[in-house]
């Protein structure tokens, strides 16, 4: 008879294997559904048998939403950087330097230079024990929990001929497809966009909540093995071994024995890199033999045995014939350069971002100028300079940022500390109105199915909706037949609008699109104020007393409700039947028994999951925090609370409550 322990072990092994097949080899053997079913089964068995916990179980890959601040860890070997070169001449110089210093045959291992964020992984007896960021090169942040969510990083190694202790370094990356999708979502939520996948990857790795990290689908390539007992003298050969242990090693890695072969590699990847799913910014050349690497040694900052050859950022030159201005949902005005079409990195560019008035000023931009356009890691091409020599006497006037809104004519304003100009006419400027409606119906807000930006635009042009409340006056009869809209689509839209009436109060607050009120703030507001009237009438003092609401958010909320048009809008919304107060049913099990308390959860529990305890803390008015400090009210401790935490708690005199104590406290 298979014991529970065997069953868990079998499932873990199978899931590690399927994970490797899918994320490292890209050759899945089972369907996603089968994978998910096995994962659920394992999760269930682990929940029921907390004594069989394993920190490297495949279930650890989903992350946890317990906030965690990162401990600083010293690197065993410092994480140095590489010296950069930009020309073939400098590559030749490097090659010659190495040849003279070694005075014997040598090979160069050529690798892609991945443009992400570097990571150091420590493996002990085939298990991942620590993942640390580069930090200042000497010390970095312990981001182990976040790294465990990256499916292409093995938690347990395959086979058995790996060293018992070694370090693996590599690059954590956000694939272009994930980056584009993430930015699309952020744009819809009016959150600041990530400039490039590198920033997105490093930002994600530093998130406090590993469940969000898991949802961001990071990837990783590993390129540097360190340890006292590596299998071979060749760096390339070691990487091939590491591939067998389950690491994702780039298939673009090559060994070259002549300078010509190195140049062929550079030229090939200078073009071919555009077809890779992740961002790259050059090629790394490494002397292959580790013995020879040791002979060459290091300078203070970088190894003498390696060099980075950076690809030229692609640049084109073209004529600027106009600057136009776009107004977003919040009224922010973005200047856009209109260009004579030019070919750049495989696409034709006609428009480029000019970001803000300061950038236009610093470029001393004139209409008719010949400008340089670059597409670096960024999504939108940008103007990086002006060819001053090409400026003629006949040049048109200097570009001056507009003073009035191009859509509604209102005078633009600039908030202190912000680079953008805004159109303040929130309630009557067309793109702001349409933007607000689009935000209102979006998935995370009222989630009105069947309605998209084009339909909103049509209803708006026809004068059928001028604000979000008007949506609730639409009927299937009034919209069917408009611009080829059939009975079915019309009914779907009305059904979606109808269903939005049961969307909870907190999401309605978010849907209003008040500046700086995102989903989390909306939740806090709903809990603190219970009804829209209470929120509407709250003063600054009351607002800032709510957890996580600072003066900036509070001022914005007050400004929103002081606007006469918004007050009228709220009156109109009250007639629609949407949820403008907290549902009592949702609140019946809420108390304020833990009001004002900061609570750390630690260890393994028998009666509820960590998730459930977190929820219980919040329902009773407390706050779940990640790390112990003098401000911590108490620790809710299960079995196996970490010794470091225990010591810290004792040092700071923070009380420790058992599961039973805690349940009695809130019962
Ligand atoms: S080797 C001592 N190989 O580039 C040499 N680095 O400027 C250690 N990088 O911090 C680095 N791809 O984040 C190496 N194939 C590759 C790389 C690579 C990207 C990054 C890495 C490092 C930086 C060096």
């Amino acid at each position: 008879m298979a014991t529970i322990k065997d069953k868990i072990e079998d499932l873990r092994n199978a899931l590690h294997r399927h994970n490797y097949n899918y994320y490292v080899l890209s050759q899945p053997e089972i369907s996603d559904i089968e994978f998910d079913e096995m994962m659920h089964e394992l999760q269930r068995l682990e929940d029921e048998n907390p004594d069989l916990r394993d920190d490297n179980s495949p279930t650890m890959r989903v992350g946890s939403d317990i906030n965690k601040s990162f401990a600083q860890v010293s690197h065993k070997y410092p994480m140095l950087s590489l010296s950069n070169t930009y020309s073939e001449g400098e590559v030749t110089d490097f090659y010659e330097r190495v040849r003279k210093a070694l005075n014997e045959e040598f090979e160069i291992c050529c690798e892609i230079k991945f443009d992400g964020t570097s990571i150091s992984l420590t493996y002990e007896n085939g298990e991942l024990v620590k993942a640390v960021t580069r930090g200042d090169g000497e010390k970095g942040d312990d981001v182990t929990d976040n790294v465990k969510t990256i499916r292409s990083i093995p938690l347990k190694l395959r086979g058995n001929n790996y060293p018992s202790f070694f370090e693996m370094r590599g690059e954590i990356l956000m694939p272009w497809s994930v980056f584009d999708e993430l930015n699309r979502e952020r744009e819809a939520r009016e959150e600041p966009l990530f400039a490039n996948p590198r920033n997105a990857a490093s930002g994600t790795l530093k998130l406090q909540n590993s469940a969000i990290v898991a949802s961001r689908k990071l990837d990783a390539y590993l390129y540097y093995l360190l340890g006292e007992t590596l299998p071979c003298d060749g760096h390339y050969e070691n990487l091939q071994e590491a591939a067998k242990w389950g690491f994702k090693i780039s298939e673009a890695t090559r060994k070259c024995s002549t300078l010509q072969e190195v140049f062929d590699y550079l030229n090939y990847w200078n073009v071919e890199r555009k077809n890779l799913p992740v961002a790259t910014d050059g090629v790394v050349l490494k002397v292959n033999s580790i013995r020879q690497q040791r002979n060459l040694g290091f300078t203070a900052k970088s190894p003498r045995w390696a060099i980075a050859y950076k690809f030229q950022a692609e640049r084109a030159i073209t004529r600027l014939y106009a600057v136009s201005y776009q107004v977003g949902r919040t009224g922010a005005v973005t200047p856009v350069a209109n260009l004579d079409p030019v070919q750049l990195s495989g696409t034709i560019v006609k428009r480029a971002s000019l970001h803000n008035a300061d950038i236009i000023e610093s470029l001393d931009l004139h209409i008719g100028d010949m400008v340089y356009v670059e597409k670096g890691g960024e999504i939108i091409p940008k103007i990086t300079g002006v060819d001053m020599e090409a400026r003629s006497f006949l040049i048109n006037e200097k570009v001056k940022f507009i003073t009035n809104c191009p859509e509604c004519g209102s005078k633009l304003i600039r908030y202190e500390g912000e680079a953008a100009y805004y159109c303040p006419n929130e309630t009557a400027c067309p793109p702001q109105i349409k933007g607000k409606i689009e935000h209102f119906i979006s998935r995370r807000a009222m989630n009105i199915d069947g309605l998209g930006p084009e339909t909103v635009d049509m209803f708006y042009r026809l004068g059928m909706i001028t604000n979000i409340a008007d949506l609730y006056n639409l009927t299937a009869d009034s919209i069917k037949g408009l611009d080829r809209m059939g009975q079915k689509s019309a009914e779907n839209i009305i059904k979606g609008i109808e269903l939005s009436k049961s969307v909870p109060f907190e999401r309605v607050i978010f849907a209003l699109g008040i500046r700086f009120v995102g989903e989390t703030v909306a939740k806090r507001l709903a809990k603190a104020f219970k009804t829209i009237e209470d929120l509407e009438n709250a003063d600054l003092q009351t607002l800032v007393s709510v957890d996580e609401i600072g003066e900036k958010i509070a001022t914005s909320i007050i400004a929103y409700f002081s606007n006469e048009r918004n007050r009228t809008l709220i009156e109109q919304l009250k007639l629609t039947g949407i949820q403008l107060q907290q549902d009592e049913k949702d609140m019946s099990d809420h108390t304020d028994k833990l009001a004002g308390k900061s609570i750390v959860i630690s260890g393994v529990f028998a009666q509820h999951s960590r998730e459930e305890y977190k929820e219980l803390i919040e329902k009773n008015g407390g706050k779940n925090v990640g790390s112990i400090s003098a401000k911590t009210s108490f620790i809710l401790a299960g079995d196996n609370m970490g010794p470091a935490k225990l010591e810290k708690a004792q040092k700071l005199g923070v009380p420790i409550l058992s599961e039973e104590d805690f349940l009695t406290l809130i019962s």
Side-chain angles (χ1 to χ4, degrees):
M1 257 287 283
T3 62
I4 296 278
K5 189 161 178 249
D6 295 338
K7 209 163 162 193
I8 290 184
E9 219 27 61
D10 286 351
L11 276 168
R12 283 179 183 157
N13 288 336
L15 281 161
H16 279 306
R17 192 175 70 249
H18 291 305
N19 185 75
Y20 168 77
N21 289 339
Y22 189 97
Y23 291 98
V24 179
L25 301 182
S26 303
Q27 286 165 357
E29 283 172 359
I30 58 170
S31 70
D32 292 1
I33 297 177
E34 285 167 303
F35 186 91
D36 288 347
E37 276 170 0
M38 285 167 78
M39 191 68 112
H40 283 142
E41 174 67 2
L42 176 59
Q43 184 74 66
R44 189 182 63 77
L45 291 173
E46 287 182 350
D47 287 347
E48 285 169 7
N49 300 279
D51 48 319
L52 297 176
R53 178 188 166 89
D54 170 5
D55 279 343
N56 279 332
S57 164
T59 51
M60 291 293 160
R61 298 224 186 250
V62 296
S64 132
D65 62 0
I66 291 168
N67 283 348
K68 215 177 152 179
S69 38
F70 305 116
Q72 289 261 305
V73 180
S74 292
H75 291 296
K76 185 161 192 267
Y77 312 93
M79 283 181 89
L80 300 176
S81 61
L82 295 167
S83 60
N84 290 326
T85 59
Y86 297 88
S87 68
E88 297 203 344
E90 287 172 288
V91 171
T92 309
D93 292 347
F94 164 74
Y95 198 84
E96 285 306 313
R97 265 199 316 276
V98 169
R99 203 165 56 83
K100 286 209 184 97
L102 290 177
N103 201 20
E104 62 176 350
E105 303 251 303
F106 64 94
E107 291 173 310
I108 297 286
C109 180
C110 297
E111 298 169 17
I112 300 290
K113 187 166 190 298
F114 293 104
D115 195 10
T117 181
S118 45
I119 192 78
S120 147
L121 308 172
T122 303
Y123 285 84
E124 251 178 71
N125 300 320
E127 299 220 19
L128 173 67
V129 290
K130 211 157 246 357
V132 184
T133 62
R134 178 168 188 275
D136 61 5
E138 299 287 335
K139 299 196 272 343
D141 285 331
D142 179 342
V143 289
T144 315
D145 288 345
N146 284 349
V147 163
K148 282 184 183 173
T149 69
I150 303 173
R151 312 283 171 140
S152 42
I153 291 184
L155 303 182
K156 276 183 199 284
L157 301 182
R158 305 168 63 79
N160 52 17
N161 63 341
Y162 39 76
S164 56
F165 185 95
F166 68 96
E167 191 178 326
M168 184 57 135
R169 290 193 186 159
E171 203 80 352
I172 293 189
L173 299 150
M174 181 175 284
W176 284 110
S177 57
V178 178
F179 169 73
D180 290 342
E181 172 72 22
L182 177 65
N183 261 352
R184 267 198 297 276
E185 283 172 16
R186 291 175 77 87
E187 196 169 16
R189 280 184 264 136
E190 295 243 335
E191 289 169 2
L193 300 189
F194 283 115
N196 50 49
R198 178 185 356 102
N199 291 2
S202 65
T204 301
L205 206 57
K206 296 282 183 60
L207 287 172
Q208 302 280 321
N209 178 327
S210 58
I212 304 182
V213 181
S215 74
R216 295 259 178 101
K217 302 199 186 78
L218 296 173
D219 200 351
Y221 278 104
L222 289 312
Y223 48 62
Y224 190 20
L225 204 61
L226 291 106
E228 316 300 325
T229 51
L230 302 183
C232 320
D233 175 59
H235 163 75
Y236 176 86
E237 289 72 17
N238 279 329
L239 291 182
Q240 304 314 308
E241 283 301 303
K244 295 182 199 150
W245 309 332
F247 289 107
K248 191 159 173 172
I249 308 293
S250 165
E251 285 176 12
T253 305
R254 287 277 176 286
K255 242 179 2 172
C256 297
S257 30
T258 66
L259 184 57
Q260 187 52 48
E261 280 174 37
V262 172
F263 283 140
D264 290 347
Y265 185 92
L266 297 183
N267 292 331
Y268 179 80
W269 284 106
N270 193 17
V271 179
E272 201 50 39
R273 69 177 180 124
K274 286 164 207 148
N275 298 322
L276 293 175
V278 292
T280 60
D281 62 344
V283 163
V284 181
L285 309 176
K286 300 175 182 168
V287 170
N288 194 50
S289 153
I290 295 173
R291 177 183 58 81
Q292 291 177 335
Q293 289 183 1
R294 237 179 273 125
N295 282 344
L296 290 161
F298 294 84
T299 69
K301 285 205 312 236
S302 52
R304 288 202 187 85
W305 45 264
I307 201 165
Y309 169 82
K310 299 272 257 192
F311 296 130
Q312 277 283 337
E314 291 204 56
R315 192 165 87 154
I317 186 154
T318 185
R319 191 173 301 280
L320 171 82
Y321 68 84
V323 173
S324 55
Y325 297 85
Q326 279 175 352
V327 184
R329 157 166 86 86
T330 53
V333 179
T334 317
V336 179
N338 294 258
L339 307 165
D340 281 344
V342 63
Q343 186 82 29
L344 179 65
S345 312
T347 55
I348 293 172
V349 175
K350 296 182 199 150
R351 287 148 64 82
S353 170
L354 281 167
H355 299 288
N356 57 48
D358 296 343
I359 292 200
I360 295 182
E361 191 54 42
S362 68
L363 288 169
D364 182 31
L365 211 56
H366 285 60
I367 300 296
D369 270 341
M370 292 304 287
V371 293
Y372 295 107
V373 196
E374 273 184 29
K375 225 192 217 174
E378 282 75 21
I379 3 160
I380 308 161
K382 61 179 183 198
I383 307 282
T384 54
V386 176
D387 181 359
M388 288 298 178
E389 288 183 2
R391 188 176 278 175
S392 79
F393 293 117
L394 299 171
I395 203 86
N396 293 324
E397 80 279 20
K398 189 174 155 80
V399 177
K400 275 186 71 188
F401 206 88
I402 47 170
T403 52
N404 291 72
C405 175
E407 301 278 345
C408 72
S410 305
K411 188 151 177 48
L412 301 181
I413 53 169
R414 197 169 180 174
Y415 298 106
E416 215 184 290
E418 286 204 36
Y421 277 95
Y422 284 86
C423 165
N425 187 11
E426 263 188 59
T427 47
C429 177
Q432 295 192 60
I433 298 174
K434 278 190 279 181
K436 284 202 171 63
I437 301 175
E438 281 165 22
H439 169 72
F440 184 80
I441 63 180
S442 65
R443 195 167 48 85
R444 287 165 177 273
M446 303 301 277
N447 191 21
I448 301 183
D449 259 355
L451 257 184
E454 291 82 23
T455 324
V456 167
D457 186 57
M458 172 174 71
F459 291 165
Y460 178 76
R461 272 187 291 108
L462 294 170
M464 301 176 73
I465 51 174
T466 56
N467 64 30
I468 52 181
D470 291 342
L471 287 169
Y472 295 87
N473 295 329
L474 297 173
T475 60
D477 281 342
S478 68
I479 61 173
K480 78 163 188 249
L482 297 175
D483 195 29
R484 297 186 307 264
M485 181 161 330
Q487 177 78 23
K488 191 99 197 109
S489 322
E491 277 169 12
N492 271 344
I493 291 176
I494 301 302
K495 195 167 128 212
I497 294 175
E498 209 47 44
L499 284 174
S500 75
K501 293 181 183 170
S502 53
V503 164
F505 183 44
E506 58 190 42
R507 269 171 55 197
V508 176
I509 298 182
F510 169 62
L512 292 177
I514 305 169
R515 230 168 150 224
F516 308 128
V517 177
E519 285 164 284
T520 317
V521 170
K523 266 191 201 149
R524 299 272 178 260
L525 293 172
K527 202 163 148 202
F529 294 100
K530 312 265 190 310
T531 71
I532 196 79
E533 287 87 1
D534 285 355
L535 177 60
E536 214 171 345
N537 298 324
D539 58 13
L540 194 83
Q541 210 58 45
T542 323
L543 283 165
V544 294
S545 69
V546 177
D547 212 17
E548 287 180 46
I549 313 279
E551 204 153 304
K552 180 169 123 181
I553 301 175
T555 312
S556 163
I557 295 169
I558 290 183
Y560 180 89
F561 288 111
S562 334
N563 185 320
E564 201 41 53
R565 288 212 195 209
N566 287 333
R567 293 189 87 92
T568 317
L569 176 68
I570 300 292
E571 289 312 307
Q572 284 175 287
L573 286 173
K574 284 182 187 163
L575 306 173
T576 63
I578 62 172
Q579 302 293 317
L580 291 169
Q581 66 277 315
Q582 188 81 283
D583 186 346
E584 284 311 317
K585 278 208 299 300
D586 293 348
M587 297 298 291
S588 58
D589 53 354
H590 285 228
T591 77
D592 52 9
K593 287 188 179 143
L594 301 176
K597 300 240 186 301
S598 291
I599 301 158
V600 171
I601 308 180
S602 178
V604 185
F605 298 93
Q607 307 200 33
H608 293 278
S609 70
R610 265 169 181 258
E611 257 322 288
E612 287 164 352
Y613 277 119
K614 186 174 174 213
E615 219 166 87
L616 281 172
I617 290 175
E618 286 180 353
K619 278 187 177 158
N620 289 286
K623 191 171 162 190
N624 172 219
V625 293
S627 59
I628 304 171
S629 73
K631 289 198 197 124
T632 309
S633 313
F634 64 82
I635 297 166
L636 163 55
D639 288 343
N640 301 334
M641 174 175 165
K645 274 204 171 131
L646 193 61
E647 198 190 314
K648 193 160 181 196
Q650 282 163 349
K651 211 166 106 202
L652 295 169
V654 177
I656 299 176
L657 267 67
S658 70
E659 238 179 318
E660 290 73 27
D661 298 341
F662 176 79
L663 292 170
T664 318
L665 180 71
I666 60 166
S667 67

